[in-house]
Structures are given as structure tokens and as C-alpha cells.
Amino acid sequence: VASVYFLVIYIIILVLLLTLLFVSAVVYRKSANLPDIVPPIISFYFASFGVILHPIAFELAFSELGRAIFEKSTYSVAPLAILFVISFAISLFYFWIFLMIAQQSIMFRPNSLLTVCSQPQTLTFVLQLAITIFTGFPETLTDKKQFQGIMLILAGIVYFASIYISFYYGGIVSPTMTSAFQSTLITSGVFCFMMAILLFLDKKAGLVYIIIYIIMFIVVFILSMFIMNKVRSKHLIMLDTILDDFSHFENVKSVNSFVNLAVDGFYVAHPVCINWQLLKLGIEKWPENQMTWFVYAKFASIYPEETQTLAWIFRMIVTKKIKGSSAKTVKEQSLTIEEQ
């Protein structure tokens, strides 16, 4: 019952938020101004409830739906399905706004999982919801342990597959947060498999598993720090060789590798990065790729004296007719920064 009430409140909150966003957009388009209280409210929601509220709603929704389908529930399947479809549809609309608009920025914003590109943040958001669905749907089905075990195995696979996020378009900027993120994925993935095995064997887990989880998390975190330091050292050596001879940039085989190099290079203020040479080599090699221009604009936006560079990037994107959400973000926001 409580979960249904929560879903109703969740839908009301989202409807109010989306209404506020729509009205604000119309008002801003007409007058180029908003009441002082509106931007802080929207910003606060995206930074707080916009991150934590939706996984809770999805967990409760799928849990209640699983109970209604496979077991006795206070509510029948039909009303719950309708409520589920409404909440899911509104959530998808919000996710589109959150991922395609709120997350897209050429300016660095405070974030516990700070990234250069929005793609790692987007995948992390999707990961969070996927894990919530796989673990929430069967959680009340205590007499269907085989099904619970299968869903946990799927969750474990998602955990392990998500390690790639750390190496996707720069991953997470902070080395410490990267290792913590990887340790969480690996430890949680292993424990999903362990709990699945216990369910298949009809065994119960004890308090010792919590202790094992903590110990394993710490061990994996230390190993991850060591491995990621090796990876970054390799990247810095490659940047040194590029600085000595630009022809070595040919060893960078993909845009993803280029972005990873740029992120690690700017993190330590490598000379080939702070003199913009690496980014220039990137746009020369992949002039039609939106991500090379986006990364260039992202780092250029840090320095107020580089507003002319942003203007040049804007003109080049327009001239080359580069498409994509990242290119659109650069075009929309570079002019705004230049006017400030």
C-alpha cells in the first residue's frame, strides 16, 4: 500500500516539475527573464531529488508489479499496470530532459561523479535504473528462488559490463572516485552471483557476508587504484611522445582514446594539453566527429581568455555542419559564454 501511495506522490511531483519547466521555458522565451526563486528550485531538484527519487520509485513500482503478477496483492494487476505505465511514461519524459538537456554542458559543474563528457553520466544513470529493476522486480517473490537467482545473475552481468564506463569518453575525472566506482561495480557484481548461488542452493546468507563485502570492496579499491595509476602513467608517457613528435599522434586510434588522453592530460596540466596542441591534433584527425569539438570547447570554457576560441569552434561546427547532441550543446552554450 505504501509503495502505491509513493508512486502517486512521485507522479504528482514529476507533473508539477514538468509543468514548472514548461511554463518557465515559455516565460523565458517571451521575456528572457525568470523570477529569482525559479532557477534555484529547478537546480536543487536536478541536483538532489532528480538523482535519488527515481530509483526509489522504480524499485517500489517493479516490486509491487512483481507481487501483483506472481503473488497475492492488495491491488489487482490492471490498476497497478495503469499506474506503472503512467509513472514510466512521465519518468521517460523527465529522463529525456535530464539526460539530453540538464546533463549537457560545456561548463564544468560540481558533481560527485564529475565527468568531462555527458555519456558516462548517462550510462551511470541507466545502470542505476537497470540494477533497480533487476533487483526490485523479484524481491517479494520469496517462493520463486530460481527466478530471483536468475534476475540477480542478470544484475551481476550489468554490474561487470558497466566497468567500461570508467574508460568511456574520459570516464570519471577523479582517480579516487573512479576506483571507488569500479570497486562498487566489481564487489556488487560478485555478490550478485554469490547470492544467486545461495538462492539456487536454498541457503541463507549470514552477517559474515556483509563483512566480506566490506573487506572485498577495500581490496578491490586498492587494486583499482594501482591499475588505474598504471593506465594513467601509460597515457602520460604517450603524451610525452606526442609532445616530442606530433607524428606519434597517429598511434591514437579512436576518438574515445583521444578523449581519455585529453582528460588525463588536463588533469595533470600536461604541456601538450595546456598549449591546446593535443586538441588541435584531435580535430585535425577527426574533423567531422562532434566529440573532438565538444572536448575542445569544454576545456576552453575553463579559461575566460579563450572566448575567441569558443567563437571559432562555434563557426567551425556550423561550417562543417556537424550533427549530434554534443555539437548542438557547443553551438548553444558557446555564444552564451562569449556574451558574458
Side-chain angles (χ1 to χ4, degrees):
V1 178
S3 59
V4 174
Y5 289 153
F6 183 90
L7 284 177
V8 173
I9 296 173
Y10 170 75
I11 292 173
I12 293 173
I13 291 174
L14 272 190
V15 169
L16 291 175
L17 174 71
L18 295 175
T19 302
L20 175 63
L21 291 175
F22 177 77
V23 173
S24 298
V26 173
V27 172
Y28 188 81
R29 188 169 186 175
K30 290 182 177 179
S31 62
N33 192 25
L34 288 174
D36 293 339
I37 194 173
V38 173
I41 291 176
I42 296 175
S43 178
F44 174 77
Y45 183 89
F46 278 124
S48 56
F49 295 110
V51 178
I52 64 176
L53 191 63
H54 309 287
I56 297 174
F58 268 58
E59 191 276 335
L60 293 175
F62 277 91
S63 174
E64 192 64 37
L65 187 63
R67 181 186 288 112
I69 294 174
F70 295 105
E71 295 184 343
K72 292 183 179 180
S73 175
T74 307
Y75 302 94
S76 60
V77 177
L80 282 176
I82 294 173
L83 185 65
F84 174 81
V85 170
I86 294 174
S87 62
F88 194 73
I90 295 176
S91 296
L92 286 180
F93 187 48
Y94 168 80
F95 296 157
W96 179 83
I97 294 176
F98 180 75
L99 298 175
M100 301 304 296
I101 301 177
Q103 286 281 66
Q104 294 283 352
S105 176
I106 62 172
M107 294 180 289
F108 285 93
R109 296 174 177 174
N111 194 306
S112 59
L113 293 178
L114 181 65
T115 63
V116 172
C117 304
S118 63
Q119 286 84 346
Q121 288 277 4
T122 300
L123 289 179
T124 302
F125 192 80
V126 174
L127 160 68
Q128 188 182 37
L129 294 179
I131 294 298
T132 300
I133 292 171
F134 282 132
T135 56
F137 186 70
E139 71 175 8
T140 62
L141 312 179
T142 54
D143 60 337
K144 299 183 183 297
K145 296 186 183 299
Q146 302 295 319
F147 179 67
Q148 287 181 325
I150 292 172
M151 295 297 282
L152 281 177
I153 289 176
L154 292 176
I157 292 173
V158 172
Y159 270 126
F160 280 108
S162 300
I163 296 174
Y164 180 67
I165 296 175
S166 304
F167 308 98
Y168 187 58
Y169 284 134
I172 301 169
V173 174
S174 168
T176 303
M177 292 306 299
T178 298
S179 295
F181 180 72
Q182 291 180 344
S183 182
T184 300
L185 294 177
I186 294 172
T187 307
S188 298
V190 169
F191 264 72
C192 281
F193 291 142
M194 289 175 60
M195 294 302 107
I197 292 172
L198 289 177
L199 286 169
F200 291 147
L201 297 176
D202 197 19
K203 302 290 185 181
K204 292 184 178 180
L207 181 62
V208 66
Y209 285 92
I210 299 177
I211 300 174
I212 294 174
Y213 184 96
I214 296 172
I215 295 174
M216 184 176 178
F217 178 88
I218 295 173
V219 172
V220 175
F221 176 81
I222 295 172
L223 290 174
S224 175
M225 287 285 289
F226 176 78
I227 294 172
M228 292 307 297
N229 284 336
K230 288 287 186 180
V231 172
R232 290 188 180 89
S233 296
K234 184 179 179 180
H235 286 171
L236 295 179
I237 292 172
M238 181 176 290
L239 291 174
D240 289 338
T241 60
I242 294 173
L243 181 63
D244 295 335
D245 185 353
F246 294 159
S247 64
H248 287 291
F249 188 76
E250 292 301 319
N251 295 325
V252 183
K253 301 301 182 182
S254 67
V255 174
N256 186 63
S257 297
F258 161 71
V259 176
N260 289 336
L261 279 176
V263 171
D264 287 343
F266 272 99
Y267 188 79
V268 298
H270 195 281
V272 78
C273 293
I274 60 176
N275 68 5
W276 306 110
Q277 191 57 54
L278 180 72
L279 300 180
K280 292 176 181 177
L281 291 170
I283 61 176
E284 288 174 6
K285 187 171 183 178
W286 298 286
E288 305 298 327
N289 190 290
Q290 62 170 333
M291 294 310 300
T292 58
W293 294 100
F294 178 83
V295 171
Y296 199 158
K298 185 88 171 188
F299 286 112
S301 68
I302 299 175
Y303 307 97
E305 64 273 16
E306 296 295 335
T307 53
Q308 293 302 314
T309 302
L310 284 176
W312 173 77
I313 293 173
F314 170 83
R315 290 194 298 270
M316 293 302 294
I317 289 177
V318 173
T319 302
K320 293 180 178 293
K321 298 180 180 180
I322 299 173
K323 305 297 182 180
S325 59
S326 296
K328 183 179 178 182
T329 299
V330 175
K331 288 191 291 184
E332 292 176 347
Q333 299 185 16
S334 58
L335 291 180
T336 303
I337 295 175
E338 186 181 3
E339 292 171 358
Q340 291 178 351

